[in-house]
C-alpha cells in the first residue's frame, strides 16, 4: 500500500464503486441505506457529486464550490454519470505535482495527497453503504478498505463526533468483520437489518 500516492487506491476504489453501481436495479432506487438520510438514489447522487468535487479539487478549483450531490440524472443514467466523474478525477490528478499542491476541501486546506486520501475513504465508505443497501451483490476487495480505515483512524478520532461532523459515534465492529465492516463501524454506520 503506497500511502504517499493515493491515486492507485482511489482508482481501485472507484472501479469497485462503478461495478457496484452497474448492479443497481430500478426497484432498488428508493430503498434504504446505512446513511439513514439517503435512499439508494440519493446515495448515488452523493457518490457522483463527491467524485465531481475531488475532480474539481484536482483541477485546481475550490472543492467548496461543488455541491456534493448531482441533479438531473435519469434512473438508468447513474453508471454513465459515475464513469464520467471518475474519468475526470483520473485526468485531474494525473500530474503527480498535484499531490504536493495545497488544495481546498470541505474540511479545510490540505496537501493534495491528504485530500485525495480522504476521498478514498469517502468512496470506500459509500461503496460499502451501497453494497449493504443492495444486499452485497459483489465481493469487495479489502485493499482500499484497509487504506481507508487507516485514513479514518488518523483523521476521525473517536472524540468530537456529532454536531457538524457527519459521522456518528464509533460502534463496535461485528465479530469477524472485514475491513469494510470495520470501517463502517468506525464511521458509526450500522448494517441494515434484513427481516
Amino acid at each position: 500500500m503506497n500511502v504517499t500516492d493515493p491515486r492507485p487506491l482511489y482508482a481501485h476504489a472507484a472501479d469497485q464503486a462503478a461495478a457496484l453501481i452497474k448492479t443497481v436495479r430500478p426497484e432498488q432506487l428508493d430503498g434504504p441505506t446505512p446513511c439513514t438520510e439517503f435512499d439508494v438514489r440519493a446515495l448515488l447522487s452523493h457518490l457522483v457529486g463527491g467524485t465531481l468535487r475531488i475532480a474539481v479539487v484536482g483541477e485546481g478549483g475550490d472543492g467548496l464550490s461543488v455541491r456534493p450531490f448531482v441533479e438531473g440524472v435519469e434512473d438508468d443514467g447513474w453508471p454513465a454519470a459515475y464513469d464520467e466523474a471518475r474519468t475526470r478525477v483520473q485526468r485531474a490528478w494525473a500530474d503527480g505535482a498535484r499531490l504536493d499542491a495545497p488544495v481546498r476541501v470541505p474540511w479545510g486546506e490540505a496537501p493534495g495527497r491528504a485530500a485525495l486520501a480522504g476521498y478514498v475513504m469517502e468512496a470506500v465508505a459509500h461503496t460499502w453503504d451501497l453494497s449493504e443497501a443492495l444486499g452485497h451483490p459483489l465481493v469487495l476487495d479489502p485493499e482500499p478498505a484497509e487504506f481507508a480505515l487507516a485514513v479514518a483512524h488518523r483523521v476521525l478520532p473517536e472524540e468530537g463526533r456529532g454536531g457538524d461532523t457527519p459521522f456518528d459515534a464509533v460502534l463496535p465492529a461485528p465479530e469477524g468483520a472485514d475491513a469494510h465492516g470495520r470501517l463502517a463501524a468506525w464511521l458509526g454506520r450500522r448494517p441494515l437489518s434484513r427481516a
Side-chain angles (χ1 to χ4, degrees):
M1 174 186 334
N2 183 356
V3 295
T4 61
D5 185 353
R7 293 176 298 178
L9 282 163
Y10 184 87
H12 188 45
D15 287 347
Q16 285 195 123
L20 192 59
I21 290 167
K22 288 180 175 122
T23 73
V24 177
R25 298 184 315 271
E27 65 270 18
Q28 294 174 307
L29 290 167
D30 295 319
T33 74
C35 290
T36 54
E37 68 274 24
F38 300 158
D39 62 11
V40 170
R41 185 181 287 105
L43 179 58
L44 292 170
S45 172
H46 184 59
L47 268 164
V48 174
T51 305
L52 289 172
R53 178 176 271 177
I54 195 61
V56 168
V57 168
E59 292 163 352
D62 184 348
L64 295 177
S65 70
V66 180
R67 287 191 64 236
F69 296 92
V70 295
E71 296 175 357
V73 176
E74 297 293 329
D75 284 350
D76 62 354
W78 293 111
Y82 186 76
D83 281 343
E84 183 178 316
R86 72 186 178 119
T87 298
R88 187 170 165 186
V89 170
Q90 289 172 343
R91 282 193 310 264
W93 290 90
D95 182 353
R98 295 299 309 148
L99 298 176
D100 294 318
V103 298
R104 186 174 151 114
V105 287
W107 59 89
E109 192 169 291
R113 73 184 70 251
L116 191 56
Y119 276 86
V120 172
M121 182 186 75
E122 168 110 351
V124 171
H126 288 314
T127 297
W128 180 85
D129 293 330
L130 183 59
S131 181
E132 179 70 16
L134 302 178
H136 303 282
L138 303 175
V139 175
L140 301 177
D141 186 334
E143 183 184 18
E146 293 286 358
F147 177 84
L149 184 58
V151 169
H153 283 159
R154 269 197 320 274
V155 303
L156 294 170
E158 284 191 66
E159 305 78 31
R161 302 282 182 102
D164 290 339
T165 306
F167 302 101
D168 290 333
V170 173
L171 299 171
E175 189 173 332
D178 64 6
H180 286 89
R182 293 192 314 275
L183 174 64
W186 186 261
L187 299 179
R189 287 166 161 78
R190 298 179 190 282
L192 293 175
S193 60
R194 305 210 185 271

